[in-house]
Amino acid sequence: MQIVFMNRLSRMSGVDQEVFAQLWIGEEEGVWRLGWRDFSGEQEMGDSLWYEGGSWNEMLSVYRHELAMKMGDGYRPLIDGVFHEDEHLNSRGQEQLKLQYYSEQYANETVYEELCSWRRGKASSERKAPYILASNRLLRMISAFLPHTAEELLQIPGVGEGKASQYGADWLSITSGVQREHQYPLGWVSDSIDEESFVSWLYKQKELKYKKQLERLRLRRVLLQGIEEGQGMEQLKGLSGVSRREVLEAVEELEKDGYSVEKLIALELSEVTSQEQNNIWTAYELIGDTFLKPVLYKAYGEDFSPAEGLDMYYERLRLIRIRFRREQPAGLGLATNL
């Protein structure tokens, strides 16, 4: 096996003991291997094989995910740039990440739960997904920094003029009466956190990011193999361990990336009448493919309310939309909202 990349890492163990490890990538006859080797003093402790296979992209995803875990545990590399991507952050980006880090350590849990309760009620009344109103990250920052005025609220990353005008009064009604020990502006945060703990937290965030990338890559591989073997949606759901909706979203991505998913579409629509498919296609031609709900009622009628629910029909719309978009001129705007 030819070693094509190697890096040495170290971390402190105990008060003054430094431990070392090596990260390596090797290749032999088109097979990639990725491994981790621990050392105790000058003695090798053996290799842990992280990956063995023919996919460079999957190997790189495993590399980034596993390395982020190690660096989150305190290992630091001899050679920087180990993630093989642009890791530069400007000062504003660093400042915002430190605010996020601080908020995760010092959020007021009572206030956070009250904000979450507000979000659930508001999402229900406005018929919106809760994350559209405010992310967990944003609510944690609000609960940690407890703004008392609109001006203070606007200093929190993720709160712009639009969010402030829509929901600021609601948030301030929860936070303005809560006592706090800190002041605004929030420049003091950077000096109040432990830098090494912050760096380890950054790598934990990378770990989560790369884990999602790896899961997405493996899902795509499973779906491509299953589609080629003639599996249907329910079988793909079982093979992948995700919901039918997540399977369909991944199938849409595969189509966008140039993979053929027609075998699956033909299988799933084999029992849908030509008339029904034509009605859906005509609806797309008349009103576009930006939103599914108007297409549904255009194709099936304004009073359409089947006893079995609408999920199956939205699935059909999305499968036919893949075909429809395939035949449209390049450059048209796409959307996937219901």
Side-chain angles (χ1 to χ4, degrees), residues 223 227 246-255 261 264 322:
L223 294 184
I227 291 170
E246 290 172 300
V247 168
L248 190 47
E249 288 171 351
V251 167
E252 289 173 327
E253 287 187 11
L254 288 171
E255 172 73 20
V261 298
L264 173 66
I322 293 174

Side-chain angles (χ1 to χ4, degrees), residues 129-300:
Y131 70 87
I132 293 178
L133 275 64
S135 65
N136 290 342
R137 179 186 304 173
L138 176 56
L139 296 187
R140 282 216 169 270
M141 283 199 278
I142 294 173
S143 70
F145 298 118
L146 298 170
H148 287 180
T149 67
E151 291 74 17
E152 291 177 350
L153 182 62
L154 287 169
Q155 295 181 44
I156 296 177
V159 180
E161 295 286 350
K163 287 284 187 187
S165 63
Q166 279 183 295
Y167 309 122
D170 292 346
W171 296 338
L172 291 173
S173 70
I174 296 172
T175 61
S176 60
V178 181
Q179 289 187 342
R180 66 188 189 203
E181 297 180 0
H182 59 265
Q183 299 296 322
Y184 281 77
L186 301 174
W188 54 268
V189 171
S190 182
D191 296 329
S192 70
I193 63 177
D194 177 70
E195 191 67 25
E196 184 61 27
S197 297
F198 170 66
V199 171
S200 293
W201 175 84
L202 283 178
Y203 288 122
K204 290 293 184 182
Q205 306 313 298
K206 283 183 177 290
E207 176 190 337
L208 295 174
K209 168 188 170 183
Y210 295 139
K211 181 180 181 180
K212 290 180 180 179
Q213 290 180 353
L214 182 58
E215 289 173 348
R216 177 174 173 269
L217 185 65
R218 288 174 171 169
L219 173 61
R220 288 162 65 94
R221 183 184 64 190
V222 168
L223 294 184
L224 284 170
Q225 182 176 345
I227 291 170
E228 182 60 30
E229 294 173 354
Q231 309 284 354
M233 288 288 297
E234 195 61 26
Q235 292 167 305
L236 293 175
K237 172 189 171 184
L239 289 170
S240 63
V242 301
S243 68
R244 288 178 69 104
R245 184 183 182 92
E246 290 172 300
V247 168
L248 190 47
E249 288 171 351
V251 167
E252 289 173 327
E253 287 187 11
L254 288 171
E255 172 73 20
K256 291 177 186 177
D257 291 342
Y259 294 96
S260 175
V261 298
E262 181 56 33
K263 185 180 288 189
L264 173 66
I265 297 174
L267 176 64
E268 290 297 317
L269 297 179
S270 60
E271 297 184 5
V272 180
T273 67
S274 298
Q275 183 61 53
E276 184 176 346
Q277 294 188 48
N278 289 336
N279 289 344
I280 295 170
W281 191 280
T282 301
Y284 280 131
E285 290 180 326
L286 292 173
I287 59 180
D289 63 8
T290 302
F291 298 104
L292 290 177
K293 184 175 290 187
V295 173
L296 177 79
Y297 292 119
K298 184 70 174 178
Y300 293 98

